[in-house]
Amino acid sequence: MKDVLTVYPDADLVFNVQNRGRPERNPRETAIRILCRQAFGKRMRELRDGADLSLSRAASLAGIASARKLSQYETTCYPPGDIVLRLAPHYGVKPKQLCELVLSHSDPEMYLGLTGRRGYEPSEEEIEAFLANPNPADAGTNAADA
C-alpha cells in the first residue's frame, strides 16, 4: 500500500475535513446547492399539486415503491432519469421538460452548455439569508446533508 500512497510535503494545499473524513465544503457553495434543491423540490410539488395528486397516488402511478421516496425527490435529492420519465406524464408535462427542470437545478453549468439557457441560480439575497440562518425550520434540508 505504501507504493500507492504519494505524499507531497511542500504542497500548499490544506483541506479542512468534516466528520466521516469528507472534505469540508465552502459554505457559499453548500448554500447554493441546498437552495437549488429546495427550488427544485418546490417546483416538483407545484407540478404534483397542479395534477391534483397526493404523494402516495403520484408514487403509485409512477411505480415508485413508496410515497416517502417521492417526498425525498421533493426535499433532499434529485430523481434519477427513469423516475423522471415515469412521473412526467402524470404531472402533465413532457419528459423533456421535466428532465430540463432536473438538469437546470442540479447542474446549471451543464444545462447552459446543452441548451444555451441559464439554469437556476439563487439570488444573492437568498444566499446571504441562508448563510445567516442555514437551518430554518421549514427548509426541508439540512446543511449537513449537502
Side-chain angles (χ1 to χ4, degrees):
M1 190 69 163
K2 287 183 180 180
D3 296 334
V4 177
L5 181 63
T6 305
V7 178
Y8 299 98
D10 49 321
D12 294 332
L13 300 174
V14 175
F15 295 98
N16 294 325
V17 178
Q18 63 182 357
N19 62 357
R20 297 182 295 221
R22 290 189 235 158
E24 189 175 285
R25 286 199 172 107
N26 175 312
R28 182 177 170 76
E29 290 175 14
T30 297
I32 292 169
R33 290 170 54 95
I34 291 172
L35 290 168
C36 285
R37 279 199 315 248
Q38 289 174 351
F40 171 77
K42 179 180 177 188
R43 184 68 185 118
M44 286 291 286
R45 280 188 301 280
E46 289 170 354
L47 289 171
R48 183 174 50 79
D49 289 343
D52 199 28
L53 295 172
S54 66
L55 273 171
S56 59
R57 181 69 179 139
S60 174
L61 288 170
I64 299 172
S66 71
R68 185 176 187 184
K69 188 63 182 171
L70 182 56
S71 176
Q72 289 176 340
Y73 298 141
E74 293 183 1
T75 56
T76 61
C77 61
Y78 297 101
D82 65 319
I83 300 296
V84 170
L85 295 176
R86 288 188 270 158
L87 283 174
H90 305 293
Y91 282 11
V93 297
K94 294 179 181 176
K96 181 180 177 181
Q97 292 172 304
L98 200 51
C99 289
E100 285 183 356
L101 179 67
V102 173
L103 189 59
S104 70
H105 286 73
S106 65
D107 196 339
E109 290 177 15
M110 183 181 289
Y111 181 76
L112 175 64
L114 291 172
T115 67
R117 298 186 309 264
R118 295 184 67 87
Y120 174 81
E121 294 177 11
S123 69
E124 286 301 316
E125 294 80 21
E126 290 174 306
I127 296 169
E128 293 304 319
F130 182 88
L131 291 172
N133 184 16
N135 295 315
D138 62 342
T141 60
N142 182 324
D145 294 335

